[in-house]
Amino acid sequence: LLRTIGITGAGTLFGLPLLTACGNDDSTSGNATGGRLILGTTEIMQFDPYLTNSAMHIHTFYTYLIDYTAADDYTPVPAGAESWELAPDHLSGTITLRETTFHTGDPVTAADIVAGIERAKNPEAGFTQTGPASFISTATAVDERTVQLAFTEPTPEGLVLDWMFAFPLVPAASNVPATLETEPSGSGPFLLDTFERDRRLVLTKNPDHWNDGKPHLDEVEYRFFNDEEALVAALESGDVDGAVYLALRHAERLESRFTLVQGGGRMDLFFMNAALPPFDNKALRQAVARAIDRERIIEQVRFGLGEPIYTAFMPPSPAFDPAYLDSHSFDLDAAAAMLDAAGGPRQAVAGVGDEPGAIEILQIIQADLDKIGFELTIDPMEQTTFLEELFASRLQCCVAAQPNNLQSPSLISRGRQMLPSTENVMLGAAVPDAYIQAVAAARTAITDADRQTAFAQLNEVLVDEAWAIGIATRPSLSALRDGVDGLAVDPRDFLVLDDVEA
């Protein structure tokens, strides 16, 4: 999935024709310009691109250093960065910025990138950027448009690219959580026109966007709905032109009358707390892992959408190994024999908040575990309580979502259930050395051979320790009326509106 574009004496230098992530250039689009689009959503929103609940509009306000060609194609495409170069020893890199401006009219400078990296490296303020940026030791502004990066250790090209793909361009003066909480500050294809919290968000075309001809639309309005049935009704009545991030149960109802767009979405995993009985027994965790019926869950809970996984990697990942879906497939007879051999208590409580489909997934797992003599009780709770219990390591088990790890398997270690340290809320002091070593190996594997070895090692320890059992991918779903074309979803499952025509 990595593609080396060219070799120079100084290292690897990338240079590609200008495209938009997941979209097409003007030679393949209809070149239609103008128009207004109304999209409905039940998603919450805020303007800070360092947070995660911004998937529907962050691409509109912000430019990232690079884009990827498509949701399942990690070919890098220049965006905020005009070019970039890695040193032969993979211990440093240089980024040359595109000559462009923020929405304020101020130029995008190397100092803005340095300030953004400093925020990312602060765990108290970096949020989702902290993990991906952890390989960066220092960032220095060489001149107005050149940033020099020093790495903490030899770093694979893919990890650098994944960081660049997820790193937003924000003015240094505005790059603090309190400021971005209420007002976006970027250089993306759309400007903020109107925001009425819980009612609507209106975006207008950025006439000075660096990507000539993009976006095609003059205006996009998001309308916020508290109830998804009301959103679908608004789509069916024509009150909105499209509905984004719908529950998958609506696919069959809408597919004959609307254009459906699927995003890569996230992954559903079943987590078992290895620091608490009965899951402090690894053999018991391994037994329970064999009692998860992925095909039934996909069919009944995800309405036939999604793909089975075993460890926390999506199928496009270079670490995805489909062999585990055969060797460790759903098998109640095997699970029962392993459970008998494991011994120990045979009951546990699964906490569940408002994660879409989590209760239904747990009910299927519950029914199958009951067949082999393991009693699983489901404890529904408010989402705030669920998160408090999860992060305090008080849940025995749960179903939770994990993001796409892109082309860097070491990014598996971002979430609190997957940290390679005692801060892991499902492992605590029981975090195995083998997992710490496997994540480190994946983070530093440079050659093809080293990558293959490291990724195999990471899968092996995930399967053996069996605290985080992959279930299936959970695609995102959007529905559009006839005449709306070009909506795309990037590998993080963020909407991209650059190529939309209506």
Side-chain angles (χ1 to χ4, degrees):
L1 294 175
L2 288 169
R3 182 176 299 169
T4 301
I5 306 303
I7 303 295
T8 69
T12 304
L13 181 66
F14 299 84
L16 291 171
L18 191 59
L19 300 172
T20 300
C22 311
N24 300 310
D25 62 21
D26 283 331
S27 65
T28 57
S29 71
N31 293 312
T33 58
R36 182 172 184 268
L37 182 70
I38 302 175
L39 296 174
T41 184
T42 58
E43 295 285 294
I44 61 173
M45 64 153 288
Q46 49 73 46
F47 297 123
D48 190 345
Y50 283 60
L51 294 173
T52 56
N53 58 339
S54 313
M56 66 181 180
H57 67 281
I58 287 297
H59 257 304
T60 64
F61 293 131
Y62 297 98
T63 298
Y64 293 81
L65 287 170
I66 66 168
D67 288 331
Y68 282 136
T69 302
D72 58 355
D73 183 349
Y74 298 124
T75 301
V77 180
E82 187 174 73
S83 62
W84 53 96
E85 188 173 1
L86 297 184
D89 60 6
H90 287 255
L91 283 170
S92 63
T94 302
I95 297 172
T96 301
L97 298 175
R98 183 183 302 281
E99 189 171 359
T100 188
T101 61
F102 290 110
H103 294 162
T104 59
D106 297 323
V108 176
T109 70
D112 298 308
I113 306 304
V114 172
I117 292 172
E118 289 175 353
R119 178 186 170 186
K121 291 184 66 62
N122 175 5
E124 298 301 317
F127 306 131
T128 60
Q129 292 289 328
T130 298
S134 62
F135 70 92
I136 300 174
S137 173
T138 61
T140 305
V142 178
D143 56 38
E144 284 291 296
R145 294 174 52 211
T146 307
V147 181
Q148 179 71 37
L149 303 177
F151 305 155
T152 59
E153 57 195 347
T155 303
E157 181 178 76
L159 182 55
V160 178
L161 291 175
D162 280 344
W163 167 75
M164 292 177 70
F165 169 68
F167 185 80
L169 275 58
V170 181
S174 304
N175 201 352
V176 292
T179 299
L180 294 175
E181 181 180 350
T182 58
E183 185 175 349
S185 187
S187 61
F190 288 93
L191 307 167
L192 174 63
D193 179 89
T194 304
F195 177 49
E196 301 172 31
R197 185 168 295 280
D198 299 326
R199 290 191 60 206
R200 66 183 189 132
L201 168 72
V202 180
L203 317 169
T204 57
K205 180 176 182 175
N206 177 7
D208 301 317
H209 186 44
W210 54 266
N211 194 349
D212 281 346
K214 306 289 181 69
H216 298 309
L217 295 171
D218 290 328
E219 184 176 295
V220 175
E221 177 180 346
Y222 280 104
R223 293 183 184 171
F224 301 102
F225 292 77
N226 292 324
D227 178 76
E228 194 163 86
E229 289 301 323
L231 169 57
V232 173
L235 175 67
E236 293 176 320
S237 68
D239 288 343
V240 297
D241 302 313
V244 298
Y245 297 111
L246 289 167
L248 298 180
R249 68 176 184 273
H250 298 294
E252 185 175 358
R253 170 179 172 181
L254 299 174
E255 63 182 350
S256 64
R257 295 170 292 152
F258 299 92
T259 299
L260 302 186
V261 177
Q262 285 189 47
R266 297 189 168 200
M267 299 170 280
D268 288 314
L269 273 72
F270 182 63
F271 289 98
M272 292 173 272
N273 193 332
L276 295 176
F279 298 122
D280 55 348
N281 181 342
K282 182 170 74 170
L284 184 141
R285 298 197 303 270
Q286 292 172 341
V288 171
R290 295 300 300 274
I292 297 178
D293 190 343
R294 295 167 180 80
E295 297 298 336
R296 183 181 170 197
I297 290 170
I298 291 171
E299 186 62 32
Q300 295 185 7
V301 182
R302 299 305 180 201
F303 301 89
L305 303 176
E307 299 179 71
I309 59 171
Y310 196 86
T311 57
F313 301 115
M314 287 186 167
S317 169
F320 179 73
D321 187 347
Y324 284 109
L325 292 170
D326 294 325
S327 62
H328 291 67
S329 61
F330 172 65
D331 187 331
L332 285 183
D333 290 337
M338 294 168 69
L339 191 63
D340 288 340
R346 292 191 175 201
Q347 59 272 333
V349 177
V352 60
D354 63 4
E355 191 78 40
I359 286 182
E360 292 82 358
I361 291 173
L362 286 171
Q363 287 170 340
I364 291 174
I365 295 173
Q366 178 189 53
D368 285 324
L369 287 177
D370 184 65
K371 296 173 184 175
I372 60 173
F374 189 98
E375 180 184 351
L376 182 67
T377 301
I378 300 172
D379 182 15
M381 55 189 71
E382 294 292 331
Q383 181 69 4
T384 300
T385 303
F386 170 77
L387 293 175
E388 289 175 351
E389 294 295 295
L390 173 64
F391 296 150
S393 301
R394 290 192 289 262
L395 294 182
Q396 287 179 294
C397 59
C398 66
V399 168
Q402 288 290 112
N404 185 358
N405 299 310
L406 304 176
Q407 60 177 331
S408 300
S410 63
L411 291 179
I412 192 177
S413 62
R414 288 174 293 177
R416 296 197 199 184
Q417 301 98 307
M418 303 300 295
L419 291 172
S421 70
T422 55
E423 295 177 348
N424 186 309
V425 297
M426 286 290 158
L427 295 173
V431 62
D433 289 339
Y435 180 59
I436 298 172
Q437 294 165 7
V439 171
R443 189 178 63 242
T444 57
I446 303 297
T447 68
D448 287 342
D450 286 344
R451 281 195 293 269
Q452 291 175 8
T453 299
F455 300 165
Q457 176 186 358
L458 186 52
N459 273 310
E460 287 170 6
V461 71
L462 288 168
V463 171
D464 181 60
E465 291 296 333
W467 85 93
I469 307 302
I471 299 172
T473 62
R474 187 210 306 170
S476 63
L477 180 70
S478 298
L480 307 169
R481 66 167 175 79
D482 288 344
V484 180
D485 299 301
L487 182 72
V489 184
D490 82 358
R492 294 170 299 176
D493 209 41
F494 287 12
L495 290 184
V496 182
L497 304 180
D498 299 45
D499 286 307
V500 175
E501 299 171 357

